[in-house]
Amino acid sequence: MSSRCPDARRGQLVLVAAVVVAVALIPIVVAYLQLGYHADVRAGGDYDDPTADATRTLTRALATASADVPAAHGWTDRDDAATTVRDRLEPRIEHVERARLDAGTARSLSYNATDAQRWAASSCPSGDGRSFGRCVAIDGVVVQERADRTHVLGVAVDLTVTSERGRTMATVRVPTVAGRES
């Protein structure tokens, strides 16, 4: 019996120590649950790229605004086509600018004609099997001649997002489906 007694006492001691540690952790767990848990804000996509939401909204709006442009505007009417797209986008741009004001985030959008010209010069879709004409930037809207029709490739905008985290300024190119074909 004396040979089993130290082992039994050691087992009991380990069990008692485990109970003490578990009881000591209870107040920590209760405090943690009462304080609540908030996910790491930096892990969210909007923190890393505060322009993402506005860009997604503009992408959808541009698809709608430019959908019937080729059918309605020949290449000689490309200025009118760009004006049509800008006019159709205006309500969506105003929506993007106002959308997060109540949450303390202000956004400002303006067309970037210079970047649109760079885009038209460097990324104009062409190549074998394509009978596409030249690309032109008109007031921030990039268009291309295809079969004597005006196709909208996208818009270039300057986007400024101001929130409690700071200010982010970016130039964003928002392509249409036709603009992604390059």
Side-chain angles (χ1 to χ4, degrees):
M1 180 162 190
S2 63
S3 64
R4 295 183 79 197
C5 201
D7 288 336
R9 286 186 184 164
R10 188 179 318 139
Q12 289 175 349
L13 184 60
V14 169
L15 183 61
V16 168
V19 169
V20 168
V21 169
V23 169
L25 289 176
I26 290 174
I28 295 171
V29 171
V30 169
Y32 175 79
L33 292 174
Q34 286 178 342
L35 292 175
Y37 169 75
H38 297 291
D40 184 6
V41 196
R42 294 176 187 236
D46 282 347
Y47 186 85
D48 293 334
D49 185 4
T51 64
D53 182 51
T55 302
R56 281 190 301 271
T57 301
L58 281 176
T59 300
R60 289 189 304 269
L62 182 58
T64 303
S66 63
D68 68 344
V69 168
H73 297 280
W75 183 242
T76 56
D77 299 328
R78 59 188 170 272
D79 289 332
D80 291 338
T83 300
T84 298
V85 169
R86 287 172 58 99
D87 289 347
R88 290 176 180 173
L89 283 178
E90 189 59 33
R92 296 307 299 166
I93 288 173
E94 289 175 6
H95 172 76
V96 166
E97 290 177 331
R98 290 189 316 260
R100 299 239 174 138
L101 286 175
D102 58 345
T105 300
R107 296 186 286 199
S108 172
L109 284 146
S110 60
Y111 290 94
N112 185 321
T114 305
D115 192 62
Q117 288 171 345
R118 275 191 226 116
W119 183 6
S122 66
S123 302
C124 192
S126 62
D128 295 336
R130 294 182 174 176
S131 58
F132 299 163
R134 65 189 181 107
C135 289
V136 177
I138 305 167
D139 298 325
V141 180
V142 180
V143 296
Q144 184 176 34
E145 185 269 322
R146 297 182 181 182
D148 200 35
R149 307 306 302 167
T150 301
H151 289 259
V152 178
L153 299 186
V155 296
V157 295
D158 289 327
L159 174 59
T160 303
V161 180
T162 306
S163 70
E164 72 278 353
R165 293 184 215 126
R167 173 179 270 178
T168 301
M169 296 173 13
T171 299
V172 180
R173 293 178 177 178
V174 182
T176 62
V177 172
R180 288 187 220 117
E181 293 177 355
S182 55

